[in-house]
Amino acid sequence: MPAYVIPAPAAPTVAVTGDLARFPVHRIYCVGQNYAAHVREMGGDPDRTPPIFFAKPADAILADGADLPYPPRTSNLHYEAELVVALGVGGRDIDPRAALGHVYGYAVGNDYTRRDLQSEARQQGRPWDTAKGFDHSAAIGAIHPAAAVGHPTRAQIWLAVNGAERQRSDIADMIWSVAAIIAELSRFWTLAPGDLIYTGTPSGVGPVQAGDVVVAGIEGLGTVTNRIVALA
Ligand code: MN
């Protein structure tokens, strides 16, 4: 181990079902606009808008059961329930036919978004980092190993705020499949073990306030629950 001139930051990790060992997070990639109904609710045309890639810092991970302090510099914090893919094997220029062999497992996630800042960035042609890559913005439930659950292609995905359902769709409605996303991402970046990929949200996104309890779930992959609390 090298010596460090300041305390070394802790490596972010995610719980794995049926295992005391944890999944170490390398990078967090995200896909935008991967469900046609959500593309339409954001004012786009799903036939003309290819899914887009963006990223969050690895330490934006928010564990199941953890509180989310309402982030500063927004008055329109939104939830986005998403299927998350956890990679166990990296690579570049991955063949879509071999892509699922790179997957360690799957989880349900919540891609929290400062929607007001995202709208501003879109209008002004600016980057999305302040809208998407803020502290605690990447909620994720326990990772279910593909060795146990296989590679789900059809499963209900839903989200509720204070017990009232806000989103419901099926991961079968994704425009780009998990295999296609991995293959395409690997043409832009060299993927690595520990990478997480948030695969996009269905329609029904909306705001949350301090005090709200947000639960996202995917059939067969459990849930991720977070309470929004006032920023201390
Ligand atoms: Mn998203």
Side-chain angles (χ1 to χ4, degrees):
M1 288 286 287
Y4 295 107
V5 297
I6 57 169
T13 63
V14 179
V16 175
T17 56
D19 207 323
L20 289 175
R22 297 177 66 85
F23 182 89
V25 179
H26 175 247
R27 289 180 184 168
I28 303 175
Y29 297 103
C30 304
V31 179
Q33 307 185 345
N34 202 24
Y35 289 79
H38 175 61
V39 176
R40 284 188 216 102
E41 79 178 347
M42 296 300 290
D45 176 349
D47 293 329
R48 294 193 316 168
T49 315
I52 53 166
F53 297 126
F54 58 95
K56 294 178 185 256
D59 70 350
I61 284 294
L62 180 70
D64 180 30
D67 289 345
L68 170 59
Y70 195 99
R73 305 300 294 265
T74 183
S75 52
N76 198 16
L77 175 67
H78 274 209
Y79 54 77
E80 295 190 354
E82 309 202 0
L83 172 68
V84 183
V85 181
L87 296 189
V89 179
R92 52 189 284 271
D93 293 329
I94 295 168
D95 187 318
R97 290 165 297 185
L100 294 185
H102 294 251
V103 175
Y104 172 79
Y106 298 91
V108 58
N110 194 334
D111 166 21
Y112 282 103
T113 301
R114 286 168 166 144
R115 192 70 72 200
D116 40 4
L117 298 196
Q118 186 193 29
S119 301
E120 261 179 52
R122 278 172 188 275
Q123 283 163 17
Q124 301 177 17
R126 290 182 180 165
W128 284 15
D129 299 64
T130 58
K132 288 290 196 178
F134 54 91
D135 298 344
H136 319 296
S137 59
I140 187 169
I143 294 171
H144 292 58
V149 299
H151 297 279
T153 55
R154 186 169 295 278
Q156 290 283 300
I157 178 170
W158 56 272
L159 181 140
V161 179
N162 302 326
E165 189 170 291
R166 298 283 190 245
Q167 292 185 286
R168 180 170 289 277
S169 185
D170 196 290
I171 61 169
D173 292 339
M174 293 199 301
I175 296 170
W176 281 25
S177 68
V178 169
I181 290 166
I182 292 169
E184 186 65 8
L185 258 183
S186 77
R187 300 175 68 214
F188 288 95
W189 291 276
T190 300
L191 301 181
D195 286 343
L196 297 176
I197 307 169
Y198 284 63
T199 58
T201 198
S203 62
V205 298
V208 287
Q209 313 295 338
D212 288 346
V213 175
V214 186
V215 185
I218 296 177
E219 198 183 347
L221 300 179
T223 58
V224 57
T225 302
N226 302 102
R227 179 188 298 275
I228 316 298
V229 300
L231 184 65

